[in-house]
Amino acid sequence: MAEIMTLARHILQRKRKYDAATGDFTLLLNHLALATKVVSRQVARAGLLDVLGKTGTENVQGEEVKKLDLIANELLIELLNDLPMVCAIASEEDEHIRHTEAGRLTGRYLVCFDPLDGSSNIDVNITIGTIFSIRRRADTGCEAVAEDFLKPGTEQVAAGYCIYGSSSLFVYSTGDGVDGFTLDPSVGEFVLSHPGIRIPDEVACFSVNAANRRNWYPETVAYVDHLGLGSDVRYKKTSLRYVGTLVADVHRNLLVGGVFLYPGDRKAPHGKLRLLYEAHPLAYLVEQAGGAATDGVGRILDIVPTGLHMRVPLVIGNRREVDLYAEFTHRYAAIPPDATT
Ligand code: AHM
Ligand code: MG
């Protein structure tokens, strides 16, 4: 029988420096994987259960909450709540951090997550996903406060996501590269299917919500036109692909090569995506796979959050295209505004 590398075995083998003695980190990652399996089951049967549609409430960001958003959020919280190594949790769906019951004083890890990314796609059977990020806490012995979460992305010790698509795929990194595992429903295990993911140098896809063009700054218009309409042979075979689920768009581009952008624009200067729950973890993974991520000015991982729900412009994917966007930003910053209209 060929060797089957399950996620649990993989995590155990890679437990590395974090918990050589305790096994805490291993248990935490395994719990996150378990949570995504349960979410995956709910997503797969969504049309049969009463879990589609809206809850009728709004989250802290003023966005409508879908029933599955809430279910995924509660599931993750419930599973993490029992872990003594997790001190506190920050979720995209919750205004404040939550302390866990088991680890509020002693836990060494802080966990951030977007329980269900791509909410607008839930009810139409399009790929959605869960994104998570883990940081270590400096002190123990007291409850964590929100400021403990407001650290640059370089302080993440692990990040990952699970996408619920044609199959469910769990992708994670602990700083040693990126590996992907497909859920085998017959055994209920994630099995290694995408070892050592590296973003290809080709630009198969670029991904952007083109309906926002009317609000884009000139550098974004010029950049998107350069990729889509220009004569550069590098983009001759590039297609526009936009799912509208960040984690699915980034995942696809990670496998085939490409760049995703959700820039700041005149309507939303800080963009739409959240630094702690979306940009930091995905930037960590994409960098680990040889790519890059910028807000147009600097590296996403270097940005220190000013609040739990801070939004940030995000351009992520192949290093060359990410650097090129930063160059466009730089170039246009030097041009007086009325010269570009
Ligand atoms: P969500 O986390 O509430 O689902 O919102 C974030 C989503 C991203 O997954 C996606 O890239 C983006 O919003 C799509 O936004 P738009 O519909 O404006 O293109
Ligand atoms: Mg999201």
Side-chain angles (χ1 to χ4, degrees), residues 92 114 116-118 131 246 273-274 278:
E92 188 191 290
D114 177 353
L116 217 49
D117 179 51
I131 310 171
L246 169 70
L273 302 170
R274 274 62 43 134
E278 293 165 325

Side-chain angles (χ1 to χ4, degrees), residues 253-291:
N253 293 356
L254 200 57
L255 296 190
V256 301
V259 62
F260 169 97
L261 52 155
Y262 209 115
D265 62 22
R266 290 191 195 91
K267 204 169 150 204
H270 302 292
K272 175 178 184 185
L273 302 170
R274 274 62 43 134
L275 181 58
L276 275 176
Y277 317 108
E278 293 165 325
H280 268 167
L282 294 179
Y284 181 86
L285 288 160
V286 168
E287 281 204 7
Q288 281 294 317

Side-chain angles (χ1 to χ4, degrees), residues 97-286:
I97 65 165
R98 293 181 191 236
H99 301 105
T100 64
E101 260 171 54
R104 62 193 308 140
L105 296 178
T106 52
R108 289 184 294 139
Y109 294 104
L110 304 165
V111 182
C112 296
F113 54 79
D114 177 353
L116 217 49
D117 179 51
S119 299
S120 66
N121 282 328
I122 292 176
D123 294 345
V124 288
N125 231 326
I126 307 289
T127 301
I128 47 183
T130 297
I131 310 171
F132 65 86
S133 150
I134 304 174
R135 284 176 174 73
R136 270 176 89 101
R137 195 184 163 209
D139 316 303
T140 51
C142 58
E143 284 186 348
V145 291
E147 285 66 33
D148 291 321
F149 285 84
L150 306 183
K151 305 285 180 201
T154 46
E155 292 199 10
Q156 293 170 107
V157 294
Y161 57 78
C162 185
I163 51 172
Y164 314 110
S166 45
S167 54
S168 289
L169 197 77
F170 188 95
V171 175
Y172 86 108
S173 176
T174 53
D176 270 341
V178 183
D179 297 287
F181 301 76
T182 300
L183 182 62
D184 180 343
S186 64
V187 284
E189 289 283 359
F190 284 109
V191 179
L192 184 61
S193 52
H194 296 68
I197 297 173
R198 300 292 297 170
I199 187 164
D201 186 46
E202 298 87 65
V203 188
C205 300
F206 77 100
S207 317
V208 67
N209 184 343
N212 292 334
R213 186 182 177 103
R214 63 181 77 91
N215 298 315
W216 286 345
Y217 296 129
E219 59 267 34
T220 306
V221 174
Y223 178 81
V224 169
D225 285 352
H226 178 72
L227 265 61
L229 304 171
S231 54
D232 191 331
V233 288
R234 180 162 167 81
Y235 308 117
K236 236 177 145 182
K237 292 188 176 161
T238 301
S239 295
L240 174 67
R241 293 279 186 274
Y242 189 72
V243 179
T245 295
L246 169 70
V247 66
D249 278 311
V250 169
H251 175 72
R252 184 202 51 246
N253 293 356
L254 200 57
L255 296 190
V256 301
V259 62
F260 169 97
L261 52 155
Y262 209 115
D265 62 22
R266 290 191 195 91
K267 204 169 150 204
H270 302 292
K272 175 178 184 185
L273 302 170
R274 274 62 43 134
L275 181 58
L276 275 176
Y277 317 108
E278 293 165 325
H280 268 167
L282 294 179
Y284 181 86
L285 288 160
V286 168

